[in-house]
Amino acid sequence: DSNSIMYFGDLIRELRQEQKLSQQIVCQGLCSKSKLSKIENNYLQPDIALAEALLQRLGISERIFTFWGSEDEDAFHLLKYRLLHLHLEKEKLKKYFFENAQNLMNSKNILHKQYYLLRSLQFLDDPEVKLQTAYEALHLTLPSFQFENINSYRLSWNELSLLNNISIILDDMEHSYSNSLRFTYILNYLRQNNLDIIYQNSFFPVTFSSLTYSLYLQKQFTEVLQTSTQYRNATLYHSPFFLGLCLGCYCQTLGETQQYDQAKKYTYYAVSLLRITEYFPNATLLEKFMKEDFGILL
């Protein structure tokens, strides 16, 4: 209601001070402490990629803001938008990505390069190459990152996405307790830090469904049943596909523990969610497993 203006630097400073974070934690790997100080005091305007990463590290989704930038920044954001919204076949999307994003790999902007490496993961088939690429991208900004110390960092969208990818790749390579633990570390970070609902929604469904799947494959049925208390989480309700994946593991766990009536009930929920989101092969496979393993017919 006042006539005063809050500049971007003011917002970053206030958010950082409210969360009692040092400048070093917020800017680690993104820019120098001196540069962040100049931004906070409105002596310097950051480029868009840095502005977004700073907001994300402070738990705020950049999607609620409108930015004006250079032609190069506009081209980068147009590419991001198209990659998020193009529903092409994998080979067509792969061709589009590598034809339009190669300049990002050679960019002086490490956040653009990090995004390029992150998005390239979906087009790589060799798990070892995928893992190496994911770590290369993460180390651009966090060269000494340790999962067990995750709460000593503040993480951007790129970084959290890379941690999810690394955890999923390792879990696909070998199902083990240590992989489940990585997902738990990420979930603890999402819960313990002051993230807005839009930013949290970008990660919680992916991480939680991956944890549920990892526990199920390890036959940790007690743990899968315990996680079911999270199925009413608001962010999962806004992600019907990932909720469907979680319930798919849950209904099979109910079958494994001989709770057949509940297993049938949650199979209906899981299959319906997968069909609604047009993941028909997943729905068909789940129906097949429930019929063959537990004699449950829908």
Side-chain angles (χ1 to χ4, degrees):
D1 295 327
S2 74
N3 294 321
S4 63
I5 295 173
M6 173 173 276
Y7 291 94
F8 181 79
D10 300 327
L11 176 63
I12 294 299
R13 184 181 65 254
E14 288 198 14
L15 287 170
R16 181 180 64 78
Q17 291 175 348
E18 282 175 6
Q19 297 175 43
K20 297 180 171 58
L21 298 173
S22 69
Q23 289 182 328
Q24 186 58 43
I25 286 179
V26 174
C27 72
Q28 182 180 6
L30 300 180
C31 65
S32 67
K33 185 177 172 182
S34 171
K35 185 170 184 177
L36 178 58
S37 183
K38 290 177 182 177
I39 292 170
E40 288 189 350
N41 288 289
N42 300 310
Y43 295 133
L44 181 68
Q45 289 292 316
D47 61 54
I48 296 176
L50 177 56
E52 291 179 336
L54 290 172
L55 285 167
Q56 292 159 2
R57 285 195 170 180
L58 291 164
I60 303 295
S61 173
E62 82 291 349
R63 297 180 191 181
I64 63 174
F65 294 91
T66 300
F67 296 93
W68 283 265
S70 66
E71 288 186 10
D72 287 343
E73 289 172 320
D74 180 58
F76 172 69
H77 278 265
L78 183 60
L79 174 68
K80 280 180 69 175
Y81 180 85
R82 287 178 173 170
L83 287 171
L84 285 171
H85 295 90
L86 279 177
H87 298 288
L88 301 175
E89 296 173 16
K90 184 176 179 180
E91 285 306 310
K92 288 183 179 179
L93 190 59
K94 180 178 180 179
K95 184 172 184 286
Y96 174 84
F97 174 76
F98 286 112
E99 283 180 354
N100 292 275
Q102 187 63 45
N103 62 315
L104 298 179
M105 186 61 186
N106 303 317
S107 172
K108 294 180 180 179
N109 189 320
I110 60 167
L111 295 175
H112 287 184
K113 182 176 180 179
Q114 189 175 59
Y115 180 79
Y116 172 87
L117 293 171
L118 166 62
R119 290 309 301 257
S120 70
L121 296 177
Q122 65 185 303
F123 306 116
L124 302 175
D125 297 318
D126 187 321
E128 293 288 351
V129 175
K130 287 179 72 171
L131 189 62
Q132 181 181 350
T133 303
Y135 273 120
E136 179 187 350
L138 181 66
H139 291 162
L140 287 173
T141 52
L142 299 176
S144 57
F145 179 84
Q146 299 291 328
F147 268 95
E148 57 269 27
N149 297 326
I150 191 170
N151 282 311
S152 65
Y153 299 89
R154 287 300 179 270
L155 303 168
S156 68
W157 186 91
N158 281 356
E159 291 159 347
L160 273 168
S161 298
L162 285 164
L163 294 182
N164 265 335
N165 273 276
I166 288 167
S167 303
I168 291 168
I169 294 165
L170 288 170
D171 199 48
D172 287 341
M173 293 169 71
E174 180 185 4
H175 306 299
S176 69
Y177 174 75
S178 61
N179 293 329
S180 301
L181 201 56
R182 290 185 181 90
F183 295 123
T184 303
Y185 285 139
I186 299 171
L187 287 173
N188 285 339
Y189 175 89
L190 298 177
R191 292 185 182 113
Q192 292 180 23
N193 290 287
N194 188 29
L195 310 185
D196 73 24
I197 191 69
I198 302 173
Y199 192 42
Q200 188 170 143
N201 192 48
S202 302
F203 302 102
F204 183 87
V206 180
T207 310
F208 185 76
S209 62
S210 299
L211 171 63
T212 305
Y213 184 62
S214 179
L215 292 172
Y216 174 75
L217 290 180
Q218 294 175 62
K219 302 187 184 300
Q220 301 287 333
F221 299 134
T222 301
E223 286 80 358
V224 174
L225 295 176
Q226 288 173 346
T227 62
S228 66
T229 58
Q230 293 291 320
Y231 293 161
R232 294 188 180 277
N233 182 290
T235 54
L236 266 183
Y237 269 35
H238 284 271
S239 305
F241 168 65
F242 290 108
L243 179 57
L245 292 182
C246 291
L247 294 180
C249 294
Y250 185 55
C251 67
Q252 291 179 85
T253 299
L254 290 168
E256 295 285 357
T257 54
Q258 300 180 349
Q259 301 178 59
Y260 300 121
D261 289 341
Q262 286 291 92
K264 185 169 185 176
K265 172 183 173 181
Y266 281 95
T267 304
Y268 271 114
Y269 293 160
V271 168
S272 297
L273 286 167
L274 292 171
R275 285 178 176 168
I276 286 168
T277 50
E278 300 186 0
Y279 284 85
F280 300 113
N282 303 64
T284 301
L285 272 177
L286 181 57
E287 286 186 275
K288 178 175 179 286
F289 293 151
M290 296 305 288
K291 177 183 177 182
E292 293 178 353
D293 295 345
F294 311 113
I296 292 176
L297 300 174
L298 300 189

